[in-house]
Amino acid sequence: AQDPEIAQMTAWLESWGQPVDMPGMEGMDDMEHMASMEGMMSAEDMANLASLTGADFDTAWATMMIEHHEGAIAQGEAVKAAGSSPEALALADQITTTQQAEIDQMRELLGN
C-alpha cells in the first residue's frame, strides 16, 4: 500500500523542484537513519524479530507494526497541521484513517 503513496509523494517533490532524497542520508546506513524516524524499527529490533517464531513472532510483529503505524499517523497529523497542498492534505487524511483502522485490527488480534 505504501508504494503508490511513495510514488505520488516523489512525483510531487519533483514537480515542486524539491530534492527527492532526504537531507543528511549521505553515508548513513539506511536502517540507522530510518530508526531515527518516529515509528521505524532499528536493526536491533529487526534482528530480535528474526529470532522469534510462532506466537512470540506474531505478537512482536503486531506490536512493532502498531508502533510503526502510530509513527505514520503522527507524520500525517503534522502534514494536516502545517501543510498547504490540497493533494498532500488529502493523502495525509487518507493515511491517518487507514493506519488507525489497521492499528485497531492489530490491537483486536492482540486482545487489547
Side-chain angles (χ1 to χ4, degrees):
Q2 292 178 353
D3 287 342
E5 295 165 355
I6 292 168
Q8 184 176 17
M9 289 184 279
T10 299
W12 289 339
L13 288 171
E14 290 170 347
S15 72
W16 299 334
Q18 298 297 314
V20 174
D21 293 326
M22 292 177 62
M25 285 189 68
E26 303 82 21
M28 288 190 81
D29 173 71
D30 286 345
M31 285 299 291
E32 175 188 332
H33 180 74
M34 289 191 312
S36 69
M37 298 180 345
E38 187 172 353
M40 297 300 287
M41 302 303 113
S42 68
E44 184 179 327
D45 293 330
M46 298 305 289
N48 181 56
L49 184 64
S51 72
L52 302 173
T53 60
D56 291 336
F57 175 89
D58 296 340
T59 299
W61 178 81
T63 301
M64 290 170 61
M65 287 305 296
I66 289 169
E67 183 179 335
H68 179 70
H69 282 34
E70 287 171 341
I73 289 172
Q75 291 175 14
E77 294 297 336
V79 169
K80 292 191 310 184
S84 62
S85 164
E87 296 88 358
L89 292 169
L91 180 59
D93 191 48
Q94 173 190 333
I95 288 171
T96 58
T97 299
T98 58
Q99 296 291 294
Q100 186 60 58
E102 291 179 6
I103 288 171
D104 295 344
Q105 182 179 17
M106 286 183 282
R107 284 190 174 142
E108 185 178 321
L109 291 169
L110 289 172
N112 296 336

